[in-house]
Amino acid sequence: QVQLQESGPGLVKPSETLSLTCTVSGGSMTNYFWSWFRQPPGKGLEWIGYNDHIGSANYNPSLKSRVVISVDTSKNQFSLKMNSVIAADTAVYYCARSFGSGITGLYDSWGRGTLVAVSS
Amino acid sequence: DIVMTQSPDSLAVSLGERATINCKSSQSLFYRSNSKNYLGWYQLKPGQPPKLLVYWASTRQSGVPDRISGSGSVTDFTLTISSLQAEDVALYYCQQYFDIPWTFGQGTKVEIK
């Protein structure tokens, strides 16, 4: 059974770059889409974007200008980089794997999430 | 963006009783070419990964107990827990995957009365 684990700094300063990595174990990275989501404190879930092993990326238009998601199959990892962060980017960040190769928007395997606070 | 609106925001139900969560989308989630509704339901518990419960509006994910079911079509959808158990206490979210950006409802908190 595939497992996903987020890692990265829990605190980022305003205007700096948030960088998170998701390590995938127990499954192949090909034939799936890999997404990041987030949940700000007290708010709902928000999709950030996805990519696959051949670079078919797509992002939430509200974040597109600040976000890059990349996939490294040799390391069984994918990553999120978000630049120019502000306090409103404080959230629990989740990585997730798509349900299958044909459905980019449905996710059946998730990490437990990692809290990232943006503060000076 | 497709706006997803859930109701109620929270509900308290006695053990063994029915819990019903509604989800309404701002536009149709029904894709005529395959006759499917692009709507899923997730369960979130603190410290645990989100869990996919239902997809295509009414298909139960493998391993999900049959007391949990999804229904509805086009713009109006429902998640039903037919007999609430203690382990069902959680936040529940509907999500549309019809169009990018994928969007979620605001969540419904289910508690024991």
Side-chain angles (χ1 to χ4, degrees), chain A residues 55-97:
Chain A
S56 303
N58 213 324
Y59 301 107
N60 191 320
S62 67
L63 297 168
K64 187 174 183 177
S65 64
R66 298 196 291 133
V67 169
V68 174
I69 296 174
S70 55
V71 177
D72 187 340
T73 56
S74 67
K75 294 182 179 179
N76 273 11
Q77 293 178 334
F78 65 107
S79 64
L80 168 70
K81 291 191 187 299
M82 179 183 295
N83 62 35
S84 305
V85 297
I86 59 174
D89 294 316
T90 294
V92 175
Y93 286 76
Y94 296 96
C95 59
R97 187 192 76 173

Side-chain angles (χ1 to χ4, degrees), chain A residues 39 47 58 104-107 112, chain B residues 42 47 49 55 93 95 100 102:
Chain A
Q39 185 173 29
W47 171 70
N58 213 324
T104 61
L106 188 67
Y107 291 81
R112 291 181 176 269
Chain B
Y42 293 86
Y55 56 97
Y93 290 88
Q95 181 228 332
I100 284 176
W102 323 129

Side-chain angles (χ1 to χ4, degrees), chain A residues 103-106, chain B residues 29 37-40 42 54-57 95-100 102-103:
Chain A
I103 310 171
T104 61
L106 188 67
Chain B
L29 304 183
N37 288 281
Y38 283 58
L39 187 282
Y42 293 86
V54 168
Y55 56 97
W56 301 132
Q95 181 228 332
Q96 65 82 18
Y97 49 103
F98 184 88
D99 194 19
I100 284 176
W102 323 129
T103 49

Side-chain angles (χ1 to χ4, degrees), chain B residues 50-96:
Chain B
K51 181 180 181 180
L52 176 64
L53 300 174
V54 168
Y55 56 97
W56 301 132
S58 60
T59 301
R60 195 180 297 114
Q61 170 68 324
S62 175
V64 172
D66 59 8
R67 66 178 182 274
I68 294 175
S69 63
S71 62
S73 186
V74 187
T75 60
D76 290 278
F77 304 91
T78 300
L79 182 74
T80 301
I81 307 173
S82 61
S83 175
L84 192 75
Q85 305 299 305
E87 60 265 32
D88 300 327
V89 169
L91 275 165
Y92 293 84
Y93 290 88
C94 59
Q95 181 228 332
Q96 65 82 18

Side-chain angles (χ1 to χ4, degrees), chain A residues 26-49:
Chain A
S28 170
M29 292 200 74
T30 57
N31 299 317
Y32 291 98
F33 293 91
W34 303 93
S35 263
W36 288 93
F37 296 81
R38 68 179 183 179
Q39 185 173 29
K43 297 188 177 181
L45 287 160
E46 179 181 35
W47 171 70
I48 297 171

